[in-house]
Structures are given as C-alpha cells and as structure tokens.
Amino acid sequence: MKALFISLLVLNLLSLSFSELCNPHDKQVLLQIKKHFGDPYLLASWLSDTDCCTSWNQVECDATTNRIVSLRIFSGDLSGEIPAEVGDLPYLETLEFHKLTNITGPIPPSISNLIHLISLRLSNLNLTGPVPDSLSKLKNLRVLTLSFNSLSGSIPSSLALMPEIDILELDRNNLTGPIPESFGNFAGRVPGISLSHNQLSGKIPASLDNTDFRLIDFSRNKLEGDASMLFGPNKTSGSVDLSRNLLEFNLSKVVFPNTLTYLDVNHNKIFGSIPTQMTQLNHLSLNVSYNRLCGQIPQGGQLQTFDYTAYFHNRCLCGAPLASCK
C-alpha cells in the first residue's frame, strides 16, 4: 500500500513537471530579474513552483512556442536599475517599465539583443545617461517611448535606421544638441515624433523638408530659425506643436497641408501675417500667440471661432476676435 502511494506521488509530480508550459531558460531569467529587484510584492506571483505562462502576472507567452514574448511591469513599488538580464529573453516582442519612479540608472545595452522587439516603453521612470546608439539594431521596433525620464546627451542619428519605427517619443528628458540631420531620411516608414520638453538647440534640419510626419511635437526646446520646411501642400501632417522655442520665419509664405487639425506655435519669433489659406482648414485647433505677427486675421473658416488668447501678444495682429484694425 505504501509503495502504491509513493508510486502515485511520483507519477503526480512527473505529470506536473511535464505539464508546465514555461520555457526553463525564460523562467530562470525572470526569477533572476525578480531577485535583482529584491523579491518585490509587485512580482509576488513569480514563484519557482508555478508555471510562468499560466500563473505569473506581467508576462505573456507565445501560444505556440511558450516562449516569453511580453514583459510589462508598471505602476508599482519597484526600486533599482533595469537589470541586464532583460536582454536574455530572446523572443521578447514587448518590453515595458512604466510609472516606476524609483527605477534609476541607464538603459541597459543588452536591450539591443532583443531582435524580435516590436514595442519598447521605458517611461515615467528616473532613468539617466544617454539614449543608446545600439537601439538602432532593433530592426523590428515600431514603438520607442522613453518619455518622462532624465536622459541626457544628444539624440543618436542612427535611430533613423530603424525601418519599422512608427512612434518615436523622447519627450520630457534633458536631451541636448540638434535634431539629427538623418531624421530627414528615415530608412522605412516615417514615425510620429515627440521631442518636446528637452533642451534641444540649433536649427531644424533642412532635410526634414523631405519627410512627411503625421505628428510633430518639438515644443519647449531652444530650437531657432526656420520651421517652414515642416509644412507643404503635399504633406499629410495632422498635428504640429512648435510652441515655446526661438523659431523665426515668415508665416505668410507657409502653405499648410489640408490634413492639418492642430497647430501650436505660441511663444516664438514668427513674423509676417496669417495666410488666407488657413480659412480653408477644417477642424483646426490653433494658437499663434506671443509672436511678431501683423495684419488682419483673415475672415472665414474657423479663425473667428477661437478665443482671443489664440492670437494675443503679437506685434500688430488685428481683427476679430482681436480688436478691429485701425
């Protein structure tokens, strides 16, 4: 009877071990990541005697191969640096650390080993150091979000070499230097791009005349000179925010794409007058305040529906909704 009981116990244990879906290598890497963070409560479901594919939070396995394809850790109490071991999950497609303000240190270079990565989101953390040039090795990457950190240094020109990139968000950091010339020649699709709330300086590269961004946010930097190359009748931009820079160009000569629905250029040194063509733009949200514009605001379209604050603090702009022209 005792022998039968032992045999059944062994068979039961064997069946449990054979039924586990989690890849042993991936499981070991994840347990190392948990140990690196000091076994936090946020990762309490990561237990060595349970199946990481069926029982663990923050991770997902591929339905066919059972390899870890997603690691998403967010909104919890987690401290320390992102461990190099994240680069040892070779089939990872999604990697996210988000809203973990006690995560510090640099972006680990090992992330560039994740050649299957499609989405990389390291945002609302407290990361420091540069944006790694090696991220350009991620040829399948579509989403790169490094927003709300303390990253410094210049933007690597090599980011334009990622052929699948669709969203590029480097906003709210301490990045310096110019916008790379290479951003006028992305290797594949052209991403929506947000570089706002940094310390970027210099002129916007003329090469961006060749690039059709659907979304541009260069606001709250120290960019200067011309920005008219971002517009044009053949472009399809929907949203452009250039506010709070040092930009200086003649707005009268700009031809806006018919797709434009949001334009904010407040707090610059833009001169000239508001083009009559702007009356033809439908569903437009507009702010041209705090510039050096003159002349009458064209009548028609939506231009009279905006509050006066969309136009005030210009050199000599007049007409509804501002005071009448003299």
Side-chain angles (χ1 to χ4, degrees), residues 84-148:
E85 285 84 353
V86 295
D88 295 330
L89 294 168
Y91 293 93
L92 210 57
E93 297 176 0
T94 299
L95 176 59
E96 177 178 333
F97 286 82
H98 176 61
K99 286 191 176 180
L100 303 162
T101 54
N102 291 324
I103 295 294
T104 59
I107 297 172
S110 62
I111 286 178
S112 62
N113 298 333
L114 302 173
I115 60 172
H116 298 288
L117 208 60
I118 294 173
S119 176
L120 175 60
R121 187 183 190 193
L122 308 176
S123 55
N124 296 79
L125 311 174
N126 198 18
L127 298 178
T128 55
V131 177
D133 182 74
S134 59
L135 292 180
S136 62
K137 296 178 182 179
L138 302 174
K139 300 304 183 185
N140 292 304
L141 198 67
R142 298 176 190 170
V143 177
L144 176 59
T145 299
L146 305 177
S147 309
F148 289 89

Side-chain angles (χ1 to χ4, degrees), residues 205-272:
S207 62
L208 269 63
D209 181 52
N210 306 319
T211 309
D212 186 12
F213 295 100
R214 69 180 185 279
L215 179 150
I216 302 171
D217 189 352
F218 293 165
S219 64
R220 293 180 182 262
N221 281 288
K222 300 176 181 178
L223 301 170
E224 58 188 46
D226 189 17
S228 62
M229 81 292 289
L230 299 176
F231 306 100
N234 297 321
K235 296 201 175 188
T236 59
S237 300
S239 176
V240 179
D241 191 344
L242 305 174
S243 61
R244 295 183 182 270
N245 277 287
L246 304 170
L247 298 169
E248 191 171 0
F249 60 95
N250 189 346
L251 192 68
S252 313
K253 297 182 178 181
V254 175
V255 179
F256 295 98
N258 292 328
T259 52
L260 191 66
T261 58
Y262 182 89
L263 177 65
D264 191 347
V265 294
N266 80 77
H267 285 85
N268 279 287
K269 302 177 181 180
I270 300 169
F271 57 93

Side-chain angles (χ1 to χ4, degrees), residues 31 34 37-50 55-58 73 77-78:
L31 289 173
K34 180 185 179 184
F37 286 121
D39 296 324
Y41 176 75
L42 187 60
L43 305 179
S45 65
W46 294 16
L47 300 174
S48 59
D49 58 351
T50 59
S55 302
W56 293 18
N57 298 326
Q58 290 92 26
I73 304 177
D77 186 11
L78 207 66

